[in-house]
Amino acid sequence: MRLSRAFLPVLKESPSDAQIVSHKLMLQAGLIRQTSAGIYAWLPLGHRVLQKVEQIVREEQDRIGQEMLMPTIQPADLWKESGRYEAYGPEMLRIEDRHGREMLYGPTNEDMITALFRDDVKSYRDLPRMLYHIQWKFRDEVRPRFGVMRGREFLMKDAYSFDLDEEGAKKSYYRQLLAYLRTFRRMGIKAVPMQADSGPIGGKLSHEFLVLAPTGESEVFYDAAFDEMDLEREGLSYEDDAGLEALFEEVTSHYAATDETHDEARWDAVASADQRTGRGIEVGHIFYFGPKYSEAMGLKVSGKDGDMVTPMMGSYGVGVSRLVGAIIEASHDDNGIIWPEAVAPWKVGLVTMRADDAATVAAAEDLYAKLDAAGAETLYDDRDERGGVKLGGMDLMGLPWQVIIGPRGLKNGVVEVKNRRTGEREELTPEAALAKLTA
Amino acid sequence: MRLSRAFLPVLKESPSDAQIVSHKLMLQAGLIRQTSAGIYAWLPLGHRVLQKVEQIVREEQDRIGQEMLMPTIQPADLWKESGRYEAYGPEMLRIEDRHGREMLYGPTNEDMITALFRDDVKSYRDLPRMLYHIQWKFRDEVRPRFGVMRGREFLMKDAYSFDLDEEGAKKSYYRQLLAYLRTFRRMGIKAVPMQADSGPIGGKLSHEFLVLAPTGESEVFYDAAFDEMDLEREGLSYEDDAGLEALFEEVTSHYAATDETHDEARWDAVASADQRTGRGIEVGHIFYFGPKYSEAMGLKVSGKDGDMVTPMMGSYGVGVSRLVGAIIEASHDDNGIIWPEAVAPWKVGLVTMRADDAATVAAAEDLYAKLDAAGAETLYDDRDERGGVKLGGMDLMGLPWQVIIGPRGLKNGVVEVKNRRTGEREELTPEAALAKLTA
């Protein structure tokens, strides 16, 4: 993409009305713009990141489930059937349509998926199933803040599992546990699963995933074992029940807690060399709730012996739009965002230091064409702007690699390649730079 | 995908409450389920098609514009600023949030994109720009019907162009014209651009695209030239202004009209061998509206000479969810859907005629693994069901190719490959079938 033809507006000043760093950076670098309190438009830069995060979530979910898509607007009747309508409170955006029917903007989808499944599934042969969708949700927060971290309209992946019994439901849960660990690792962030309150049914089958970031909302305490967990080891696959159970045992055996659930006695039992503390941001929650919705909504299937069976369910959420903010909280410096490569809007930022120097422009055009042809996603700042302004913009937008081309280097036959995260700079021939960035 | 593990519910009976064939087939084959009047959940089968249609639209738009994403819920203030709020009528879903603020579920986005662009763009150097998004919209139809063809919550691609003058705006319009022609052709459907009412500003710069289908809502009359238009000819690219203008001249020179705009005198001038009539379904509309929104909302940029310039705008919509229904209207038979390959949920349907015959199952498993490894998207009906039921299901779901494996053929070393559209059947060795389907 050529910056001269792109809509990638950057603010000169850091916005003063944003309280946390991800919100500031998302506004300043032009990822989002607020359109109402707690509601944001995703500009092209932000949208590219959002799509990459979404796609990683999708790919891991596709290994264990099927994607579908439920609508944003739901009938109130569904929520009355499950008994949640009155209880939900003012965070639910309630709507009346032109015929006076009570509707709502879905904050979550347990009720609807249970009804859909109930209407089409009649036999034990159709279980187990895992279904998910990635759809915008709405929660009418009384004081939306922190940008996309606590917005009102937000993008969420929510999956739902249906099993014949608790034994089956556990396997579904373990599969999601592995999918979540792999999902966050692929994004280049550390997310620690922490046992969470599960109500009367869940037992140990409730985990929140917290991304570690110095500005996180909760204090966290965890065992270093989480950082070193081998998620690709032999015997660990979505089809291997024993391997999945062992993973679950491993996860639950290591200490991890927020300040709310912290237990000093168990913490003291962790070797002090393995004690890690920090702050965390919740980005996912997996949760087993058994027959709660299937019972309330009359979902039953005929069992093997002809008797009727009430499926056991679980739900598995990831805050997709929230993750974009959380990744920035976890990965930035004073100059701007530092994207992990897997979610970066472009891999390479190509900058000409002198747009009025023909040799510089020719070298940049040539390298841009070659990077593009090799499939390295490149943002090319070809504008007639001062070099310093361009470099500042690239630092702010946080692309993993910068290639800086100017007359001085070209005299020696080199361009500069900068790693945004480490700040390391290398002088390379254009050919070597191309090889390095497309390796 | 193995059907035994999939959520792909098929109805035994054709639903009696659906009035048009696409609605019937989408319910029966399990693409959608209604969750409220005119609001649908997309089950996995339907969602796969929706994603493919969406992706084709995205790829063509990416060649000429940048994707972004505006929220579904908009503040009423924006629409008051553009002067449309009161005028819009009861099709607008009006919402009050917990603080009593007037909001609405966006039926379209001219107002919002104009405001976003206005707040970030200040100079002629930042024009032209083409921005688009693919987002759910809501129109509170008084009598929603025909399934996703006239639903209330629907997925739309809407693009917006910003140019410094009318000359520039024309080029943006021509680019979209080509993008639309290519988009629909890639989907395997015939869509004819018809000059449409453009209000006082648009002149000739307003075209509706109608998919030809026997059950279409409008009668259409058009010149056979549209069927033969070469969209990949030399000199026709998004960067070639002369080629684009020639395309526009070509499109406007050929006769095409609905019954509403039909002109007998011009029709008679078309050689009778080239006269084509039929019925059509509107799936897209491109439209130049000049300074309508930029003026109303105070969007101005500094021009080359320091004077302030009001950008000229156009909007370009595609009904993405509607297209799924329109494609079915255009492509089905008495047995079910016939997907064009580019939008098919899977390319191949693999069927075992006898799930209790070990050799049949072994041959099917082997072929399934090889098709999968070769990247041919395959739905494998491995259920313990009668062969006839499975074949009926495959016809209904409309995958382009069926591979039928049974004991009788295997004795002779062959499987049957059926083309869903033509009905042609071939007996091939499994190796030859694999080669044919992965060619």
Side-chain angles (χ1 to χ4, degrees):
Chain A
M1 180 98 234
R2 284 171 194 276
L3 225 157
S4 65
R5 299 187 194 170
F7 180 59
L8 292 170
V10 161
L11 304 180
K12 286 201 183 101
E13 308 287 327
S14 174
S16 57
D17 52 333
Q19 291 164 285
I20 61 170
V21 66
S22 62
H23 190 192
K24 273 183 204 291
L25 288 171
M26 288 180 80
L27 290 170
Q28 200 182 350
L31 278 78
I32 53 167
R33 290 292 178 261
Q34 180 170 287
T35 56
S36 310
I39 305 181
Y40 295 87
W42 293 74
L43 304 191
L45 187 68
H47 186 256
R48 287 181 72 94
V49 178
L50 186 68
Q51 270 189 318
K52 295 207 172 180
V53 169
E54 181 182 335
Q55 187 57 22
I56 292 174
V57 171
R58 173 175 290 121
E59 285 170 12
E60 288 303 319
Q61 291 294 307
D62 279 344
R63 296 185 211 282
I64 55 175
Q66 280 184 285
E67 188 170 4
M68 59 181 294
L69 191 59
M70 289 176 269
T72 61
I73 301 297
Q74 304 186 17
D77 284 345
L78 266 182
W79 290 66
K80 291 180 177 169
E81 216 182 316
S82 69
R84 293 210 278 180
Y85 189 61
E86 302 305 334
Y88 208 91
E91 287 198 0
M92 176 181 278
L93 189 67
R94 292 159 209 260
I95 301 168
E96 208 172 86
D97 75 7
R98 69 189 290 171
H99 297 297
R101 283 176 296 219
E102 290 177 286
M103 316 288 288
L104 58 97
Y105 199 122
T108 174
N109 286 72
E110 284 84 359
D111 324 74
M112 187 179 278
I113 192 75
T114 305
L116 287 166
F117 203 76
R118 173 195 67 201
D119 294 347
D120 270 310
V121 168
K122 304 297 175 197
S123 158
Y124 70 92
R125 281 189 301 265
D126 296 324
L127 270 68
R129 287 295 180 275
M130 177 77 75
L131 296 165
Y132 79 96
H133 77 155
I134 302 174
Q135 178 61 292
W136 292 88
K137 313 281 194 293
F138 203 96
R139 281 185 200 153
D140 202 358
E141 298 266 359
V142 64
R143 262 187 307 278
R145 56 195 160 147
F146 306 148
V148 301
M149 301 286 283
R150 191 179 285 190
R152 295 199 289 168
E153 189 171 328
F154 58 97
L155 187 60
M156 189 169 149
K157 184 282 296 178
D158 38 327
Y160 303 93
S161 61
F162 299 87
D163 284 276
L164 280 174
D165 52 31
E166 200 174 309
E167 215 35 54
K170 276 185 187 169
K171 288 180 193 165
S172 295
Y173 187 93
Y174 300 161
R175 286 199 179 98
Q176 285 287 4
L177 178 68
L178 177 57
Y180 273 52
L181 291 169
R182 286 183 172 168
T183 296
F184 297 125
R185 187 165 290 180
R186 277 185 65 185
M187 288 179 195
I189 49 175
K190 280 188 190 175
V192 179
M194 310 212 170
Q195 212 151 305
D197 185 32
S198 54
I201 295 158
K204 285 184 169 177
L205 300 181
S206 174
H207 282 88
E208 290 172 356
F209 289 77
L210 279 85
V211 167
L212 296 172
T215 51
E217 62 218 346
S218 316
E219 204 178 343
V220 297
F221 307 83
Y222 70 99
D223 191 315
F226 283 108
D227 293 344
E228 290 137 30
M229 210 170 270
D230 180 3
L231 300 176
E232 306 300 333
R233 64 179 177 251
E234 237 175 293
L236 186 54
S237 84
Y238 294 116
E239 300 307 320
D240 176 49
D241 291 344
L244 288 170
E245 191 171 345
L247 175 74
F248 175 75
E249 296 302 337
E250 187 185 339
V251 164
T252 43
S253 73
H254 297 311
Y255 187 79
T258 63
D259 39 6
E260 278 180 33
T261 56
H262 191 45
D263 175 341
E264 286 289 348
R266 285 192 62 204
W267 181 234
D268 289 341
V270 177
S272 60
D274 293 336
Q275 289 184 344
R276 298 280 181 280
T277 58
R279 303 195 68 84
I281 302 164
E282 192 195 331
V283 291
H285 192 179
I286 61 178
F287 187 65
Y288 170 63
F289 50 74
K292 183 174 173 192
Y293 292 91
S294 37
E295 245 168 30
M297 305 191 73
L299 161 60
K300 281 196 174 84
V301 299
S302 62
K304 275 182 189 155
D305 312 318
D307 50 331
M308 297 306 283
V309 179
T310 299
M312 298 293 170
M313 293 175 59
S315 75
Y316 314 88
V318 169
V320 177
S321 48
R322 175 171 243 238
L323 261 167
V324 178
I327 292 169
I328 295 173
E329 293 289 339
S331 187
H332 66 272
D333 64 15
D334 288 347
N335 297 323
I337 301 167
I338 304 173
W339 293 114
E341 209 159 306
V343 300
W346 286 275
K347 180 179 177 176
V348 181
L350 178 62
V351 172
T352 51
M353 292 305 285
R354 287 274 301 275
D356 57 352
D357 177 64
T360 298
V361 172
E365 291 284 337
D366 185 59
L367 190 53
Y368 177 55
K370 287 174 178 161
L371 284 164
D372 197 52
E377 292 182 326
T378 302
L379 177 64
Y380 171 25
D381 193 345
D382 58 338
R383 292 173 307 161
D384 184 11
E385 276 278 5
R386 286 189 301 114
V389 170
K390 295 184 181 184
L391 294 180
M394 283 295 174
D395 276 355
L396 178 63
M397 286 191 278
L399 312 190
W401 297 96
Q402 294 171 17
V403 179
I404 303 153
I405 304 187
R408 226 177 310 163
L410 282 181
K411 259 186 218 159
N412 304 319
V414 296
V415 300
E416 195 173 57
V417 176
K418 175 179 155 186
N419 181 302
R420 173 68 181 89
R421 185 175 297 279
T422 63
E424 281 176 81
R425 294 155 182 274
E426 258 185 301
E427 295 205 323
L428 296 172
T429 63
E431 296 70 33
L434 178 68
K436 183 186 177 83
L437 296 171
T438 58
Chain B
M1 179 97 234
R2 285 169 192 276
L3 225 157
S4 66
R5 300 188 193 169
F7 180 59
L8 292 170
V10 162
L11 304 179
K12 285 202 182 97
E13 308 287 328
S14 174
S16 57
D17 51 332
Q19 290 164 285
I20 62 169
V21 66
S22 62
H23 190 190
K24 271 184 204 295
L25 287 172
M26 288 181 79
L27 289 170
Q28 200 182 349
L31 277 77
I32 53 167
R33 290 291 179 261
Q34 180 169 288
T35 56
S36 310
I39 305 181
Y40 295 88
W42 293 75
L43 303 190
L45 187 68
H47 186 256
R48 287 181 72 93
V49 178
L50 186 67
Q51 270 189 316
K52 296 206 170 180
V53 169
E54 182 182 335
Q55 187 57 22
I56 291 174
V57 171
R58 172 175 291 121
E59 286 170 13
E60 288 303 321
Q61 291 294 307
D62 279 344
R63 296 183 210 284
I64 56 175
Q66 279 184 286
E67 189 170 4
M68 58 181 296
L69 190 59
M70 289 176 270
T72 61
I73 301 298
Q74 304 185 17
D77 284 346
L78 265 182
W79 289 65
K80 290 180 179 168
E81 214 182 318
S82 70
R84 294 210 281 179
Y85 190 62
E86 301 306 333
Y88 209 91
E91 287 197 359
M92 176 180 278
L93 189 66
R94 292 159 210 260
I95 301 169
E96 207 172 86
D97 76 6
R98 69 188 291 171
H99 297 297
R101 284 176 295 220
E102 289 177 286
M103 316 287 287
L104 57 96
Y105 199 121
T108 174
N109 286 71
E110 284 83 0
D111 324 73
M112 188 180 278
I113 192 76
T114 306
L116 287 167
F117 202 75
R118 175 195 64 201
D119 294 345
D120 269 310
V121 169
K122 304 296 174 199
S123 158
Y124 72 91
R125 281 189 302 266
D126 295 324
L127 269 69
R129 288 295 180 273
M130 177 78 75
L131 296 165
Y132 80 95
H133 77 157
I134 302 174
Q135 179 61 292
W136 291 89
K137 312 281 194 295
F138 204 96
R139 281 185 200 153
D140 202 359
E141 298 266 358
V142 63
R143 262 186 308 278
R145 56 196 160 144
F146 307 148
V148 300
M149 301 286 283
R150 192 178 286 188
R152 294 199 289 169
E153 188 171 328
F154 58 98
L155 187 61
M156 190 168 149
K157 184 282 297 178
D158 37 327
Y160 303 93
S161 61
F162 299 87
D163 283 276
L164 281 174
D165 51 31
E166 199 173 311
E167 217 33 57
K170 275 186 187 171
K171 288 179 193 166
S172 295
Y173 187 91
Y174 300 160
R175 285 200 179 98
Q176 285 287 2
L177 178 68
L178 177 58
Y180 273 52
L181 291 169
R182 285 182 172 168
T183 295
F184 298 124
R185 187 166 289 181
R186 277 185 64 185
M187 288 179 195
I189 49 176
K190 280 188 190 175
V192 179
M194 308 209 171
Q195 212 151 305
D197 184 33
S198 53
I201 297 159
K204 283 184 171 180
L205 300 181
S206 173
H207 282 88
E208 290 173 356
F209 288 78
L210 280 86
V211 167
L212 297 171
T215 51
E217 62 218 347
S218 316
E219 205 177 342
V220 299
F221 306 83
Y222 70 99
D223 191 315
F226 284 108
D227 293 344
E228 290 138 29
M229 208 169 272
D230 180 1
L231 301 176
E232 306 301 333
R233 63 178 178 252
E234 238 177 292
L236 185 53
S237 84
Y238 294 116
E239 300 306 321
D240 176 49
D241 291 344
L244 289 169
E245 190 170 347
L247 175 75
F248 175 75
E249 296 301 338
E250 189 185 339
V251 164
T252 43
S253 73
H254 297 311
Y255 188 80
T258 63
D259 39 5
E260 278 180 32
T261 56
H262 191 43
D263 175 340
E264 285 290 347
R266 284 192 63 204
W267 182 235
D268 288 342
V270 177
S272 61
D274 291 335
Q275 288 183 345
R276 298 279 181 280
T277 58
R279 304 195 68 84
I281 302 164
E282 191 196 331
V283 292
H285 192 180
I286 61 178
F287 187 65
Y288 170 63
F289 50 72
K292 183 174 173 192
Y293 293 92
S294 37
E295 246 168 28
M297 305 190 72
L299 161 60
K300 281 195 174 89
V301 298
S302 62
K304 274 183 190 156
D305 312 318
D307 50 333
M308 297 306 284
V309 179
T310 299
M312 299 293 169
M313 293 175 58
S315 76
Y316 314 88
V318 169
V320 177
S321 48
R322 176 171 242 239
L323 261 168
V324 178
I327 293 169
I328 295 173
E329 293 289 338
S331 188
H332 67 272
D333 64 15
D334 289 347
N335 297 323
I337 302 165
I338 304 173
W339 292 116
E341 209 159 304
V343 300
W346 286 274
K347 179 179 180 178
V348 181
L350 178 63
V351 171
T352 51
M353 292 304 285
R354 287 274 301 276
D356 57 352
D357 177 63
T360 298
V361 172
E365 290 284 339
D366 185 60
L367 190 52
Y368 177 55
K370 286 173 178 161
L371 284 164
D372 197 52
E377 293 182 325
T378 303
L379 178 64
Y380 171 25
D381 192 346
D382 59 338
R383 292 172 306 161
D384 185 11
E385 276 278 4
R386 285 188 303 113
V389 170
K390 294 184 181 183
L391 293 180
M394 284 296 174
D395 276 355
L396 179 62
M397 286 190 278
L399 312 189
W401 297 96
Q402 293 171 18
V403 180
I404 304 153
I405 304 186
R408 227 178 309 163
L410 282 181
K411 259 185 219 159
N412 303 320
V414 296
V415 300
E416 195 172 60
V417 176
K418 177 181 153 184
N419 181 301
R420 173 69 182 88
R421 185 176 297 278
T422 63
E424 279 176 83
R425 294 156 182 274
E426 257 186 303
E427 295 205 322
L428 295 172
T429 62
E431 295 71 35
L434 179 67
K436 184 186 177 83
L437 296 170
T438 58

